[in-house]
CSV table of all heavy atoms in Angstrom, one decimal:
chain,number,residue,atom,x,y,z
A,589,ALA,N,-144.5,42.5,17.1
A,589,ALA,CA,-145.7,42.0,17.9
A,589,ALA,C,-145.4,41.2,19.1
A,589,ALA,O,-145.8,41.4,20.1
A,589,ALA,CB,-146.7,41.2,16.9
A,590,ARG,N,-144.4,40.3,18.9
A,590,ARG,CA,-143.9,39.5,20.1
A,590,ARG,C,-143.4,40.4,21.2
A,590,ARG,O,-143.5,40.3,22.4
A,590,ARG,CB,-142.9,38.4,19.6
A,590,ARG,CG,-143.5,37.3,18.7
A,590,ARG,CD,-142.6,36.2,18.5
A,590,ARG,NE,-141.4,36.5,17.8
A,590,ARG,CZ,-141.1,36.4,16.5
A,590,ARG,NH1,-142.3,36.3,15.8
A,590,ARG,NH2,-140.2,36.7,15.9
A,591,LYS,N,-142.6,41.3,20.8
A,591,LYS,CA,-141.9,42.2,21.7
A,591,LYS,C,-143.0,43.0,22.4
A,591,LYS,O,-143.0,43.3,23.7
A,591,LYS,CB,-140.9,43.2,21.2
A,591,LYS,CG,-139.7,42.5,20.7
A,591,LYS,CD,-138.6,43.5,20.4
A,591,LYS,CE,-137.4,42.7,20.5
A,591,LYS,NZ,-136.4,43.3,19.4
A,592,GLU,N,-144.0,43.4,21.7
A,592,GLU,CA,-145.1,44.3,22.3
A,592,GLU,C,-145.9,43.5,23.3
A,592,GLU,O,-146.3,43.9,24.4
A,592,GLU,CB,-146.1,45.0,21.3
A,592,GLU,CG,-145.3,46.1,20.5
A,592,GLU,CD,-146.2,46.9,19.7
A,592,GLU,OE1,-147.4,46.8,19.7
A,592,GLU,OE2,-145.6,47.7,18.9
A,593,ILE,N,-146.2,42.2,22.9
A,593,ILE,CA,-146.9,41.4,23.9
A,593,ILE,C,-146.0,41.1,25.3
A,593,ILE,O,-146.6,41.1,26.2
A,593,ILE,CB,-147.3,40.0,23.2
A,593,ILE,CG1,-148.4,40.3,22.2
A,593,ILE,CG2,-147.6,38.9,24.2
A,593,ILE,CD1,-148.7,39.1,21.3
A,594,ASP,N,-144.7,41.0,25.0
A,594,ASP,CA,-143.8,40.8,26.2
A,594,ASP,C,-143.9,42.0,27.1
A,594,ASP,O,-144.1,41.9,28.3
A,594,ASP,CB,-142.4,40.7,25.7
A,594,ASP,CG,-142.1,39.3,25.1
A,594,ASP,OD1,-142.9,38.5,25.4
A,594,ASP,OD2,-141.1,39.1,24.4
A,595,SER,N,-144.0,43.2,26.4
A,595,SER,CA,-144.0,44.4,27.3
A,595,SER,C,-145.3,44.6,27.8
A,595,SER,O,-145.5,45.1,29.0
A,595,SER,CB,-143.6,45.7,26.4
A,595,SER,OG,-144.6,46.1,25.7
A,596,ILE,N,-146.4,44.1,27.2
A,596,ILE,CA,-147.8,44.2,27.8
A,596,ILE,C,-147.8,43.3,29.1
A,596,ILE,O,-148.4,43.8,30.2
A,596,ILE,CB,-148.8,43.7,26.9
A,596,ILE,CG1,-149.1,44.7,25.7
A,596,ILE,CG2,-150.2,43.4,27.5
A,596,ILE,CD1,-149.9,44.1,24.5
A,597,ALA,N,-147.3,42.1,29.0
A,597,ALA,CA,-147.2,41.2,30.2
A,597,ALA,C,-146.5,41.7,31.2
A,597,ALA,O,-146.9,41.7,32.5
A,597,ALA,CB,-146.6,39.9,29.7
A,598,LEU,N,-145.5,42.6,31.0
A,598,LEU,CA,-144.7,43.3,32.2
A,598,LEU,C,-145.5,44.5,32.7
A,598,LEU,O,-145.4,44.7,33.8
A,598,LEU,CB,-143.3,43.7,31.6
A,598,LEU,CG,-142.3,42.7,31.2
A,598,LEU,CD1,-141.1,43.3,30.6
A,598,LEU,CD2,-142.0,41.9,32.5
A,599,LYS,N,-146.2,45.0,31.8
A,599,LYS,CA,-146.9,46.3,32.2
A,599,LYS,C,-148.3,46.0,33.0
A,599,LYS,O,-148.6,46.8,33.8
A,599,LYS,CB,-147.2,47.1,30.9
A,599,LYS,CG,-146.5,48.5,30.8
A,599,LYS,CD,-146.8,48.9,29.4
A,599,LYS,CE,-147.7,50.1,29.3
A,599,LYS,NZ,-147.9,50.7,28.1
A,600,LEU,N,-148.8,44.9,32.6
A,600,LEU,CA,-150.1,44.6,33.3
A,600,LEU,C,-150.1,44.4,34.8
A,600,LEU,O,-149.4,43.4,35.3
A,600,LEU,CB,-150.7,43.2,32.7
A,600,LEU,CG,-151.6,43.3,31.5
A,600,LEU,CD1,-152.0,42.0,31.0
A,600,LEU,CD2,-152.9,44.2,31.9
A,601,THR,N,-150.7,45.1,35.6
A,601,THR,CA,-150.8,44.8,37.0
A,601,THR,C,-152.1,44.1,37.3
A,601,THR,O,-153.1,44.5,36.8
A,601,THR,CB,-151.0,46.2,37.7
A,601,THR,OG1,-149.9,47.1,37.2
A,601,THR,CG2,-151.0,46.1,39.2
A,602,TYR,N,-151.8,43.1,38.0
A,602,TYR,CA,-153.0,42.1,38.3
A,602,TYR,C,-153.7,42.4,39.5
A,602,TYR,O,-153.1,42.7,40.5
A,602,TYR,CB,-152.5,40.7,38.3
A,602,TYR,CG,-153.5,39.6,38.5
A,602,TYR,CD1,-154.5,39.3,37.8
A,602,TYR,CD2,-153.3,39.0,39.8
A,602,TYR,CE1,-155.4,38.4,38.1
A,602,TYR,CE2,-154.2,38.0,40.1
A,602,TYR,CZ,-155.2,37.7,39.3
A,602,TYR,OH,-156.2,36.8,39.7
A,603,PHE,N,-155.0,42.4,39.5
A,603,PHE,CA,-155.8,42.6,40.7
A,603,PHE,C,-156.4,41.3,41.0
A,603,PHE,O,-157.2,40.8,40.2
A,603,PHE,CB,-156.8,43.7,40.5
A,603,PHE,CG,-156.4,45.1,40.7
A,603,PHE,CD1,-155.9,45.8,39.6
A,603,PHE,CD2,-156.5,45.8,41.9
A,603,PHE,CE1,-155.4,47.1,39.8
A,603,PHE,CE2,-155.9,47.1,42.1
A,603,PHE,CZ,-155.5,47.8,40.9
A,604,ASP,N,-156.2,40.8,42.3
A,604,ASP,CA,-156.8,39.6,42.6
A,604,ASP,C,-158.2,39.9,43.1
A,604,ASP,O,-158.3,40.4,44.2
A,604,ASP,CB,-155.9,38.8,43.6
A,604,ASP,CG,-156.6,37.5,44.0
A,604,ASP,OD1,-157.2,36.8,43.2
A,604,ASP,OD2,-156.6,37.1,45.2
Side-chain angles (χ1 to χ4, degrees):
Chain A
R590 293 193 290 277
K591 284 195 169 149
E592 290 194 4
I593 291 173
D594 285 348
S595 79
I596 289 168
L598 287 176
K599 248 167 109 175
L600 263 178
T601 306
Y602 174 67
F603 279 88
D604 179 38

